[in-house]
Amino acid sequence: MSARSDRQIQVALGTRSYDIHIGAGLLETAGTYIAPLLFRPRTVIVTDETVATLHLTRLQEGLAAAGIAVDSVILPPGEATKSFPQLEHLCTALLDHGVERQDMVIALGGGVIGDLTGFAAAILRRGIDFIQIPTTLLAQVDSSVGGKTGINTRQGKNLVGAFHQPRLVLADLSILRTLPRRELLGGYAEVVKYAVLGDSDFFEWLEAHGAEVRAGDSAALAHAVEISCRMKASVVAADEREGGGRALLNLGHTFGHALEAATGFSDRLSHGEAVAVGMGLALDLSERLGHAPPGTAARLRAHLKAAGLPAHPDEIPGPPLAVPELLHHMRQDKKARQGTLVFILVRGMGEAFIADDVPPAEIEAVLSGAALQDTVS
Ligand code: NAD
Ligand code: GLY
């Protein structure tokens, strides 16, 4: 397939601005985008074992074609890789490969590889540049853009990290063909999130064309990734460090994080699935508090259901979840401010706002209305 960067978006951050290119077959010509950014013609690709097997050779060849010498570091796949031991391993491997202050490394993978590599780049030699080549839909529409990098600790997810913007994002849509269905749907939940929080026309478009996106139709996928990245880029440009509006991107995440914690961050519920269920609950809460018209949550749930995503806590496999346990996890949420929970609510489809004054009884009522058990399991 010939390379086409059909779509280009700038993340406008002054001297740290960078471009996102979206197209099919970008791995093959990655060198033409990357070579002009390099201080010397060499780089190190960081990836995971699964992505290495499927896509590393094409990227290596694409870079070699532009005269770039390439080393690679291949890490185990999975969330556990976002850890102190793997951070140490990666930093040491990059130094062993002779990475210098002015060199650039490439993250080729999903959000795990992007977050870990970005954080390693933020601290190696007090900060080197890096490039994101996201290989999951979630990473293409969310984690590769915006500069949040980091690792998990035993206290929770993403608790150690840094804001460190990439120099370039190459979203090659053809890479998504090898993505397992459940991973694709998890990313689709994040696409729906952008529509719900800020673009009702996009929500309507997804209702009409979401099935094409999920089937991997190139034009539909390109449109969905572009609209999502445009929204993320504009939110990040306005509030890089989440002092205000960037929090809108957390729609569905306060409930979702509690659901993930209550299911032990296990295979029972993926992050994207938790966001889907969490968005349904956030819209329930919006309706309950009189912010959104009745039917808003039902419309979202109909779309999530059509997409094959869970839309309601009782669709999560396994024993029912307990309301007190969910409330407990919400209070631990890192987005809580002085004990007050912050929710992203909507006034209607595409009109999200930040609410930090939601009475706890209303949150409990929404969770209880979700037909959960009222005792800790
Ligand atoms: P992931 O990186 O674990 O990838 C999911 C799985 O898919 C892995 O097993 C991976 O090997 C495999 N895979 C990746 N690309 C593939 C491909 N093209 N074909 C086949 N298999 C492929 O998970 P993810 O969902 O991409 O990212 C989740 C992570 O992203 C979490 O750690 C989350 O905290 C983080 N995240 C970060 C941000 C941010 O702003 N930095 C935003 C959202 C999520
Ligand atoms: N994924 C949320 C953010 O980047 O702010």
Side-chain angles (χ1 to χ4, degrees), residues 48-52 54-55 76-79 82 108-115 132 134-140 142-150 152 157-158 172 174-180 183 186-187 190 193 232 246 249 253 271-272:
D48 74 27
E49 286 153 10
T50 307
V51 176
L54 295 165
H55 302 291
E79 189 67 32
K82 268 176 61 173
L108 172 72
V112 164
I113 289 298
D115 282 11
Q132 290 270 20
T135 64
T136 63
L137 181 57
L138 178 140
Q140 294 195 350
D142 190 357
S143 60
S144 65
V145 177
K148 280 189 182 175
T149 72
N152 307 324
K157 280 186 64 174
N158 301 320
D172 182 344
S174 23
I175 296 184
L176 301 179
R177 284 193 202 129
T178 57
L179 199 59
E183 298 292 348
E190 301 283 356
K193 179 192 79 176
K232 178 129 195 199
R246 185 163 178 169
L249 299 174
H253 283 62
H271 175 72

Side-chain angles (χ1 to χ4, degrees), residues 98-303:
V99 171
E100 296 178 359
R101 176 70 188 79
Q102 284 165 308
D103 286 329
M104 210 176 285
V105 296
I106 299 174
L108 172 72
V112 164
I113 289 298
D115 282 11
L116 174 71
T117 307
F119 187 39
I123 57 176
L124 196 77
R125 295 188 183 278
R126 299 202 177 89
I128 63 168
D129 285 333
F130 82 114
I131 289 168
Q132 290 270 20
I133 304 190
T135 64
T136 63
L137 181 57
L138 178 140
Q140 294 195 350
V141 299
D142 190 357
S143 60
S144 65
V145 177
K148 280 189 182 175
T149 72
I151 56 170
N152 307 324
T153 70
R154 68 181 166 74
Q155 290 85 356
K157 280 186 64 174
N158 301 320
L159 293 179
V160 174
F163 284 97
H164 188 53
Q165 300 291 344
R167 289 284 308 281
L168 173 74
V169 180
L170 293 180
D172 182 344
L173 303 170
S174 23
I175 296 184
L176 301 179
R177 284 193 202 129
T178 57
L179 199 59
R181 183 86 188 147
R182 197 172 175 195
E183 298 292 348
L184 185 86
L185 289 184
Y188 185 77
E190 301 283 356
V191 171
V192 173
K193 179 192 79 176
Y194 290 110
V196 176
L197 79 86
D199 191 340
S200 61
D201 290 345
F202 186 39
F203 191 82
E204 239 175 74
W205 185 88
L206 289 173
E207 287 178 316
H209 299 284
E212 293 153 42
V213 175
R214 299 187 303 273
D217 173 83
S218 321
L221 202 47
H223 182 71
V225 173
E226 179 186 358
I227 298 295
S228 302
C229 285
R230 276 196 194 287
M231 192 176 304
K232 178 129 195 199
S234 77
V235 169
V236 167
D239 177 23
E240 184 182 7
R241 291 190 171 231
E242 203 165 313
R246 185 163 178 169
L248 294 173
L249 299 174
N250 295 327
L251 174 68
H253 283 62
T254 302
F255 284 115
H257 187 265
L259 294 164
E260 278 186 281
T263 48
F265 292 97
S266 67
D267 241 18
R268 224 178 125 189
L269 187 70
S270 74
H271 175 72
E273 290 162 350
V275 169
V277 178
M279 282 193 289
L281 293 169
L283 268 53
D284 283 341
L285 189 56
S286 306
E287 283 187 32
R288 191 181 166 82
L289 295 172
H291 296 301
T296 312
R299 185 176 170 202
L300 168 68
R301 287 204 169 99
H303 184 63

Side-chain angles (χ1 to χ4, degrees), residues 32-51:
T32 59
Y33 297 95
I34 293 173
L37 302 178
L38 298 180
F39 178 72
R40 56 175 174 158
R42 55 155 312 179
T43 187
V44 181
I45 302 168
V46 182
T47 190
D48 74 27
E49 286 153 10
T50 307
V51 176

